[in-house]
Amino acid sequence: MVRSRAIKTLVTLFFVIIFMACSKQKKERVINFPKTDLSLENFIPKPLQVIPSNNGFALDKYTAIYTSKNVEGFDEVGKFLAKKIKAKTNLDVQVNVNDLPSIETVIYINQSDSINVGGKEGYQLHITQDSIILNSNTAAGSFRGIQTLRQIIPETSNDTLVAGTKIWTIPTGKIIDNPQFEYRGSMLDVARHFFSVEDVKKYIDILAYYKYNVLHLHLSDDQGWRLEIKSWPKLTEIGGSTEVGGESGGFYTQEDYTEIIDYAAKHHITVIPEIDMPGHTNAASVSYPILNGNGRKLELYQGTEVGFSTFNTRKDTVYTFIDDVIREIAALTPGPYIHIGGDESHVTKKPDYIYFVNKVEKIVQKYNKRMIGWDEVATADIDSTSIAQFWASKKNAQAAVDKGMKIIMSPAKKAYLDMKYDTLSKHGLHWAAYIPVDTAYIWTPESYEGIPIKNILGLEAPLWSETISNIEELEYLAFPRAIGYSELSWTTQENRDWENYKVRLANQTPFLDRMNVKYYPSKLIDWKKNKNKYKKIDKD
Ligand code: TNX
């Protein structure tokens, strides 16, 4: 199998080379590129190794993309790249079309088992004057690789290199790259305020550009239940009807949710659904009072207090309910994880909490998923296959380490996107800290609070939505900090440096502006002014 693939690759490469040689015979094109330096490009996250060779690859109307054939996902990656090239340059680059009359340069997206790229998402880019060869083991690796390529397509063409031809010069050299953590995520709280499918898709577009691979959706809380569950319809009819501040809330139908999952999958992003319990369950209990365990009068809640609600953990119906919910969600969710929340259950008695988490873990496993929970779940008797998300308690994180569990690093003091930047911030909270753009970047998730790196699955930046109710406010809190977290989770510590990152971040403005992202223009960054008014060609 591996051998036949390798042969296929060789045959395809052979044809690409012959093809290019023929086109060369047709027309000898010599372009004198000004000296380039690939190592000075504004990559984020910074690749493992960049070796410049100081020449140029001409991206122009004579460029074509070819991909490995019959390997799932590669043709789609080629088409995705062509779409993004069109959006940035307005060039129509053909994908996997033979017999193109006048091709001068080729981008070849190649699946290879024989090249060691360091893992599923690793890739290597070899950029020479007439070809760009992107090698990876998987479509996910090639997808990460084309994000790197997108970042080095210049904003403007050089129109004087060849008379009459607009050329976007890509610096030549070699890039060897591979992520340090397998889990690189962000979370959106769509429960406190609801965000539309379109909003979520836009967030995915930006996360993908920075090589994120996880989107965690916080789908239920005291203030709202946001995913249709067919066997318990009142969850969304009643529980989805409002949100913080008293607006009308909303929810995803199962079709909407699937649309988000499919869109994320096209970006090689896994969606992790969270149903937060046994606390944070007011919306569920208002919809079905039989679930309620705090003995209080039930009503829809639009405030921002936490910790007052709980399920009745000793009632069988509660577990029948949870079984139905997890079964439906597991069937809709291709990813390997289901998040059960488990945080701030202040009115659940400790033994009840432990009993509950133990039982719910078994339900998640029954549907062939791995359980994730906020760090409190490590106080229960759970398996080493379950995962703890460290947000507040070092003690809980240590308990998870002692159980041999993996940990997702989301310490609120460093990684919470809903914390204000400073006292003047328009949105956000500050119970954990103020988190300016430098503080968000200058810390080491690899050794934070003494958690051994071997237990760390990766990093996630949660965006809670008590203080934000639309996409612009969401973008104000998420960007630019989420860009820095992409580097913390992808790039090794030796390769990170604030002074250097600052400059690369300042140069993200063309992308952010083209995407119409209302980022917070922190004064710590000398933002590159957009001299050229971009013609908005298409969504990038
Ligand atoms: C704590 S983080 C919470 C959330 C709030 C957030 C606000 C966590 C597991 N629980 O319920 O939205 O703080 O920053």
Side-chain angles (χ1 to χ4, degrees):
M1 171 68 187
V2 171
R3 212 165 132 224
S4 75
R5 267 213 195 141
I7 291 169
K8 240 188 269 163
T9 303
L10 279 176
V11 171
T12 320
L13 266 178
F14 176 76
F15 281 116
V16 169
I17 290 161
I18 293 290
F19 178 70
M20 284 166 54
C22 294
S23 61
K24 275 267 133 30
Q25 274 167 18
K26 269 189 285 172
K27 201 154 53 110
E28 198 54 62
R29 192 166 79 148
V30 181
I31 304 173
N32 289 319
F33 291 100
K35 196 165 181 242
T36 66
D37 189 344
L38 188 62
S39 67
L40 296 180
E41 291 292 316
N42 296 302
F43 306 105
I44 299 182
K46 194 175 180 126
L48 202 56
Q49 227 185 321
V50 179
I51 307 149
S53 63
N54 311 113
N55 214 320
F57 169 98
L59 173 67
D60 61 11
K61 61 183 173 186
Y62 303 116
T63 305
I65 297 174
Y66 294 92
T67 71
S68 286
K69 304 257 168 54
N70 311 321
V71 192
E72 212 189 319
F74 276 72
D75 184 61
E76 287 78 2
V77 172
K79 289 190 173 126
F80 186 96
L81 177 61
K83 208 173 119 201
K84 298 305 176 186
I85 291 176
K86 171 79 180 171
K88 191 165 183 176
T89 65
N90 208 23
L91 286 169
D92 286 300
V93 178
Q94 302 296 315
V95 183
N96 290 332
V97 178
N98 292 324
D99 306 325
L100 292 173
S102 49
I103 290 309
E104 296 283 346
T105 55
V106 174
I107 300 172
Y108 184 53
I109 303 175
N110 176 43
Q111 194 280 339
S112 158
D113 287 317
S114 50
I115 300 169
N116 179 8
V117 293
K120 287 207 295 300
E121 294 183 278
Y123 67 90
Q124 295 182 358
L125 270 168
H126 300 262
I127 308 166
T128 62
Q129 255 191 288
D130 28 48
S131 72
I132 296 178
I133 298 177
L134 168 59
N135 286 315
S136 62
N137 296 157
T138 67
S142 70
F143 189 80
R144 305 303 167 222
I146 64 164
Q147 308 314 316
T148 304
L149 199 48
R150 287 172 71 190
Q151 296 188 353
I152 53 176
I153 298 171
E155 294 302 321
T156 45
S157 58
N158 186 333
D159 300 348
T160 57
L161 285 172
V162 175
T165 308
K166 285 182 175 307
I167 291 179
W168 282 260
T169 304
I170 297 182
T172 59
K174 189 168 172 178
I175 297 173
I176 297 171
D177 202 9
N178 187 28
Q180 105 158 311
F181 289 123
E182 71 173 75
Y183 185 111
R184 305 180 306 279
S186 182
M187 185 206 82
L188 274 187
D189 171 7
V190 295
R192 270 51 175 276
H193 279 101
F194 182 65
F195 290 89
S196 68
V197 173
E198 285 315 305
D199 291 343
V200 177
K201 284 184 176 174
K202 184 176 179 191
Y203 198 52
I204 289 173
D205 288 338
I206 307 161
L207 294 183
Y209 186 76
Y210 295 107
K211 301 191 176 76
Y212 276 82
N213 66 359
V214 169
L215 174 67
H216 164 185
L217 291 175
H218 183 76
L219 290 166
S220 71
D221 214 301
D222 291 320
Q223 300 86 345
W225 184 286
R226 307 298 178 206
L227 176 62
E228 175 191 23
I229 301 295
K230 302 232 193 239
S231 51
W232 297 76
K234 286 189 202 160
L235 288 169
T236 44
E237 273 165 34
I238 297 173
S241 66
T242 188
E243 60 185 11
V244 167
E247 289 108 55
S248 61
F251 65 90
Y252 305 124
T253 62
Q254 295 201 349
E255 289 70 32
D256 291 338
Y257 177 71
T258 300
E259 193 178 328
I260 292 173
I261 291 205
D262 290 349
Y263 192 79
K266 288 200 178 82
H267 295 74
H268 293 270
I269 287 179
T270 301
V271 171
I272 300 184
E274 177 187 349
I275 297 300
D276 199 354
M277 49 197 172
H280 292 269
T281 44
N282 184 72
S285 290
V286 176
S287 311
Y288 292 100
I290 195 163
L291 303 170
N292 189 33
N294 74 358
R296 289 187 8 190
K297 182 170 164 272
L298 288 164
E299 52 194 346
L300 288 167
Y301 182 65
Q302 292 126 20
T304 58
E305 234 177 83
V306 291
F308 64 88
S309 57
T310 183
F311 279 159
N312 183 339
T313 59
R314 299 287 168 170
K315 205 175 225 159
D316 289 345
T317 321
V318 167
Y319 298 100
T320 309
F321 165 82
I322 293 171
D323 194 289
D324 285 339
V325 169
I326 304 275
R327 175 175 42 77
E328 289 197 32
I329 294 181
L332 293 168
T333 308
Y337 307 110
I338 290 190
H339 200 305
I340 65 134
D343 58 314
E344 300 172 319
S345 282
H346 301 324
V347 296
T348 320
K349 291 197 184 80
K350 190 76 201 165
D352 292 347
Y353 177 84
I354 291 171
Y355 176 80
F356 179 86
V357 173
N358 293 350
K359 279 185 80 91
V360 174
E361 183 194 49
K362 295 289 166 291
I363 297 174
V364 171
Q365 291 171 348
K366 176 174 149 196
Y367 293 107
N368 294 319
K369 301 290 180 190
R370 272 176 85 175
M371 184 184 88
I372 306 180
W374 297 104
D375 60 45
E376 290 94 323
V377 296
T379 61
D381 308 314
I382 54 178
D383 282 1
S384 61
T385 54
S386 293
I387 295 158
Q389 186 163 6
F390 177 14
W391 69 282
S393 164
K394 185 181 168 181
K395 198 165 148 238
N396 290 340
Q398 193 51 53
V401 171
D402 295 344
K403 289 188 164 73
M405 295 167 69
K406 292 275 188 211
I407 295 180
I408 297 164
M409 299 298 286
S410 305
K413 286 183 210 156
K414 300 288 181 190
Y416 264 27
L417 288 168
D418 67 316
M419 291 299 116
K420 290 185 171 189
Y421 292 92
D422 55 40
T423 53
L424 300 174
S425 287
K426 282 194 285 180
H427 311 288
L429 302 169
H430 64 94
W431 65 263
Y434 290 106
I435 308 184
V437 179
D438 52 353
T439 305
Y441 183 85
I442 307 171
W443 63 288
T444 35
E446 294 89 344
S447 57
Y448 189 76
E449 297 284 31
I451 292 163
I453 191 162
K454 68 171 179 20
N455 287 79
I456 300 175
L457 189 64
L459 183 72
E460 182 182 294
L463 180 46
W464 301 99
S465 63
E466 287 94 331
T467 67
I468 52 171
S469 59
N470 58 50
I471 184 86
E472 291 189 2
E473 294 168 1
L474 180 161
E475 288 166 3
Y476 171 94
L477 285 177
F479 302 108
R481 289 179 294 196
I483 300 174
Y485 297 131
S486 83
E487 182 147 305
L488 290 186
S489 56
W490 181 282
T491 309
T492 53
Q493 193 188 345
E494 311 83 76
N495 251 339
R496 300 196 302 260
D497 172 68
W498 165 249
E499 291 303 324
N500 177 276
Y501 169 73
K502 224 163 89 165
V503 177
R504 287 180 285 121
L505 179 58
N507 281 283
Q508 300 305 304
T509 45
F511 170 71
L512 295 172
D513 290 347
R514 196 167 50 248
M515 291 293 289
N516 191 25
V517 174
K518 299 278 184 291
Y519 61 94
Y520 165 64
S522 162
K523 293 210 167 61
L524 298 170
I525 307 299
D526 188 11
W527 297 101
K528 185 181 165 199
K529 295 278 171 307
N530 243 332
K531 286 195 217 85
N532 321 297
K533 279 257 174 284
Y534 288 107
K535 261 202 300 160
K536 230 175 157 244
I537 301 163
D538 187 11
K539 197 161 85 74
D540 190 79

